[in-house]
Amino acid sequence: GESVGLHLPTLSVQEGDNSIINCAYSNSASDYFIWYKQESGKGPQFIIDIRSNMDKRQGQRVTVLLNKTVKHLSLQIAATQPGDSAVYFCADKRGYGGSQGNLIFGKGTKLSVKP
Amino acid sequence: ETGVTQSPTHLIKTRGQQVTLRCSSQSGHNTVSWYQQALGQGPQFIFQYYREEENGRGNFPPRFSGLQFPNYSSELNVNALELDDSALYLCASTPLGPGRTEAFFGQGTRLTVV
C-alpha cells in the first residue's frame, strides 16, 4: 500500500555537526510533505513543510529537500544541538475537499545528539 | 505550547469497556483529526472532523467514533476495547486558511487496555 517510510531508524551525531534525516515516499499525488519532531512524552511538533512543486525550502537551522524523481525527502539540521534529540517523522498530506487533509506518517528516525 | 489540550493524560481500561477521550483546540481551528500511535511507530490516522462532520477516515473499525463541537472541542470514543487498542491517542487541529498545513498536536492520552 501507499506509505511513507524512513531509511534509518536511529541516527547519532556530535553536537555542532549537521544532521541529515532521510525519508522515502510512494504516493506521488501528495500535496505537501511535512517534517515533525516528537520529544519523549509529547505530541509531534511541526518543523517545516514543502509543497510538492518545490525542491527545497529553508527554515531556521533546517532545510528540507524534495527529490520527486526518486521520491525522496530529507531534513537537514545545521549545527545540531542537544535539544534536537527526538524522533523525527516525515509525513505526507492528502487533502479532502475544503478540509485540511490527513497526514500519513512514517515510522520515525530517532536522533541522538552527543555532547 | 500548541494550544491543543487533551484529557485525560493517562487512562487504564479493561478489555470490553468503552472509553471517551477529549480534546480542546484553538479558536479558529476548524479541522480536528485523531491519530493512534503505537509504541515505536508513527501516528496512524483514525478520522477527521470538519465543521462538526466526519470528513475522512483511516483504516479503523466503526467502534472508533467521534464528535466535534461548535466550541472547538472534540471527542474520540472507542467501544468494546481490545488489548491492541493500547496506544497514545493524539488529537491535532489545523487552522483556517488556504495552504495551511501545520497540524498542532496535543500531548496525547496514553490508553492502556488490560
Side-chain angles (χ1 to χ4, degrees):
Chain A
E2 297 173 336
S3 65
V4 177
L6 300 185
H7 290 285
L8 297 173
T10 61
L11 177 64
S12 183
V13 299
Q14 202 71 37
E15 181 179 357
D17 287 351
N18 295 334
S19 303
I20 299 176
I21 302 172
N22 296 305
C23 178
Y25 65 92
S26 58
N27 182 19
S28 301
S30 296
D31 302 316
Y32 289 89
F33 298 91
I34 308 163
W35 282 98
Y36 281 87
K37 171 187 179 183
Q38 187 173 26
E39 297 174 278
S40 181
K42 297 184 179 180
Q45 177 187 357
F46 174 89
I47 302 173
I48 191 169
D49 64 0
I50 186 167
R51 195 162 184 163
S52 58
N53 62 356
M54 299 171 64
D55 299 321
K56 179 179 180 179
R57 190 174 187 203
Q58 289 184 294
Q60 187 176 10
R61 277 202 310 119
V62 295
T63 301
V64 56
L65 299 177
L66 176 62
N67 186 330
K68 293 180 285 293
T69 301
V70 295
K71 297 183 181 179
H72 183 267
L73 188 70
S74 69
L75 177 70
Q76 301 177 4
I77 304 174
T80 313
Q81 303 168 0
D84 295 326
S85 294
V87 177
Y88 288 80
F89 294 97
C90 64
D92 73 309
K93 176 179 170 292
R94 305 174 194 183
Y96 297 107
S99 75
Q100 300 296 327
N102 68 292
L103 300 170
I104 306 298
F105 285 85
K107 289 187 177 180
T109 292
K110 183 175 182 180
L111 175 65
S112 297
V113 181
K114 296 177 288 186
Chain B
E1 295 296 325
T2 65
V4 180
T5 56
Q6 293 185 242
S7 62
T9 55
H10 296 82
L11 196 57
I12 300 175
K13 287 287 191 178
T14 303
R15 188 172 49 184
Q17 285 188 314
Q18 179 267 344
V19 68
T20 297
L21 309 182
R22 294 180 172 83
C23 172
S24 177
S25 60
Q26 297 183 53
S27 172
H29 287 208
N30 66 341
T31 302
V32 64
S33 303
W34 285 89
Y35 293 82
Q36 179 195 69
Q37 187 175 22
L39 201 60
Q41 302 292 318
Q44 298 293 308
F45 174 70
I46 302 175
F47 47 57
Q48 180 180 90
Y49 277 80
Y50 174 62
R51 294 181 176 175
E52 302 171 40
E53 292 188 359
E54 186 177 298
N55 183 57
R57 188 178 187 93
N59 189 26
F60 281 82
R63 60 189 184 85
F64 285 79
S65 63
L67 288 171
Q68 184 185 26
F69 302 102
N71 65 351
Y72 309 107
S73 65
S74 174
E75 287 182 356
L76 165 65
N77 299 288
V78 187
N79 294 321
L81 283 166
E82 300 177 0
L83 297 179
D84 285 349
D85 295 333
S86 296
L88 180 69
Y89 288 85
L90 295 161
C91 164
S93 70
T94 309
L96 282 167
R100 297 296 298 272
T101 62
E102 63 270 38
F104 294 89
F105 283 84
Q107 83 284 4
T109 293
R110 173 72 62 187
L111 173 65
T112 302
V113 182
V114 298

